Amino acid sequence: MVRSHNEDSVFGNPHRGLVILADGMGGYNAGEVASGMATTVLSTELENAFVARSPDTPEADGGRYAQAAIRDRVARANAAIFNAAASQPQYAGMGTTLVLALFHDNRLTAAHIGDSRLYRLRGDALAQLTRDHSLLQEQIDAGMISAEEARHSQNKNLVTRALGVDPQVETEIHDHEVLPGDLYLLCSDGLNDMVEDDEIALTLQSLGANLELAATQLIQMANDNGGRDNVSVILVKVLREFPAATGWWAKFLNCFK
């Protein structure tokens, strides 16, 4: 309702169980460029990586290839954005948040940088699976302010980690168990800054059977509450188990972005 152009970018491929959301930052249209580069580079690189090698392949350290591949490809995307910003003055200082989810072998590998979020609705319980890389979150963790005070702070959107701003970036990656019936929400802060978590939960509980309607309703709620930022959401519903031996992601995931 306020921004003149959209700096968010989204990508979803249920055939690969891969969804990506990025919220760009920077002057002029630089944020849009950064988020677009992030989704383009990561979607292409990761799809190619998992064609060549299953994400469930064991690594020497006992982990799975999924985490190693994501970490490596995020580093490449970071370098691409950073180098573009360094070589083109109009893009100087651009960067983007990132939240990425890969569904494989009845699990979810989630990666994030910045304050775009991943939520899970399981039954009636909404859980935030990512923890913001932001000044406000650091202040909450230090006991300087409460979560309620943070909602009304003037320091929103001050991220402590972003893709493409520095030569290297630390990607936070975790694996989570996935159950049939789970509903996952990836969103830019344009949603959760405008809509309380309990309102998000109620919307997903009541409309979760229709992902398109639920996504439309979430965006409308953010805009009705002021719409001070771009609002992007991706919803993924897990229909049944998807063990690694099958690999037919489209049969088991319903995705709307």
Side-chain angles (χ1 to χ4, degrees):
M1 302 298 291
V2 176
R3 298 291 182 91
S4 59
H5 63 286
N6 190 358
E7 294 188 327
D8 295 353
S9 294
V10 297
F11 169 86
N13 182 351
H15 296 280
R16 290 289 172 192
L18 177 64
V19 286
I20 306 170
L21 185 148
D23 179 357
M25 62 194 76
Y28 303 102
N29 67 337
E32 180 179 349
V33 172
S35 65
M37 288 181 66
T39 55
T40 299
V41 171
L42 285 170
S43 62
T44 302
E45 293 271 356
L46 287 173
E47 287 182 334
N48 290 339
F50 297 135
V51 166
R53 188 178 176 191
S54 168
D56 310 295
T57 305
E59 293 284 281
D61 61 4
R64 304 276 183 120
Y65 177 58
Q67 285 205 16
I70 290 171
R71 198 178 305 279
D72 177 69
R73 272 60 178 189
V74 171
R76 296 185 194 183
N78 184 78
I81 297 169
F82 180 80
N83 291 335
S87 63
Q88 303 180 58
Q90 70 271 28
Y91 298 151
M94 72 175 177
T96 182
T97 69
L98 172 72
V99 58
L100 178 156
L102 176 70
F103 294 84
H104 61 105
D105 194 22
N106 293 325
R107 74 183 65 208
L108 160 66
T109 298
H112 83 287
I113 297 169
D115 60 359
S116 290
R117 292 181 177 180
L118 170 65
Y119 291 89
R120 179 192 65 211
L121 181 72
R122 177 172 289 170
D124 292 330
L126 183 73
Q128 183 182 330
L129 299 185
T130 55
R131 194 169 188 83
D132 294 348
H133 301 134
S134 68
L135 177 61
L136 281 181
Q137 188 62 58
E138 289 186 356
Q139 291 175 332
I140 293 170
D141 292 344
M144 299 171 61
I145 61 173
S146 67
E148 179 60 28
E149 289 171 330
R151 290 202 60 82
H152 304 287
S153 172
Q154 299 299 311
N155 293 326
K156 286 185 177 181
N157 313 121
L158 296 178
V159 296
T160 55
R161 206 181 296 185
L163 190 68
V165 174
D166 295 308
Q168 286 85 36
V169 67
E170 181 182 354
T171 308
E172 187 167 347
I173 306 179
H174 300 285
D175 284 342
H176 302 275
E177 176 195 25
V178 171
L179 296 178
D182 283 353
L183 178 57
Y184 293 88
L185 163 67
L186 292 77
C187 65
S188 59
D189 63 347
L191 177 67
N192 55 268
D193 278 354
M194 295 286 100
V195 183
E196 300 280 357
D197 281 7
D198 57 354
E199 295 178 287
I200 293 174
L202 184 60
T203 301
L204 296 180
Q205 289 163 7
S206 59
L207 300 176
N210 186 329
L211 299 191
E212 183 173 1
L213 182 58
T216 300
Q217 179 64 21
L218 289 172
I219 292 170
Q220 187 60 53
M221 291 165 65
N223 284 329
D224 288 346
N225 290 342
R228 292 193 296 269
D229 199 355
N230 306 140
V231 189
S232 293
V233 305
I234 302 175
L235 292 173
V236 178
K237 182 69 174 284
V238 180
L239 304 180
R240 57 186 67 90
E241 292 185 351
F242 50 100
T246 64
W248 295 100
W249 314 118
K251 291 184 180 179
F252 310 114
L253 299 177
N254 189 11
C255 174
F256 181 81
K257 62 185 188 300

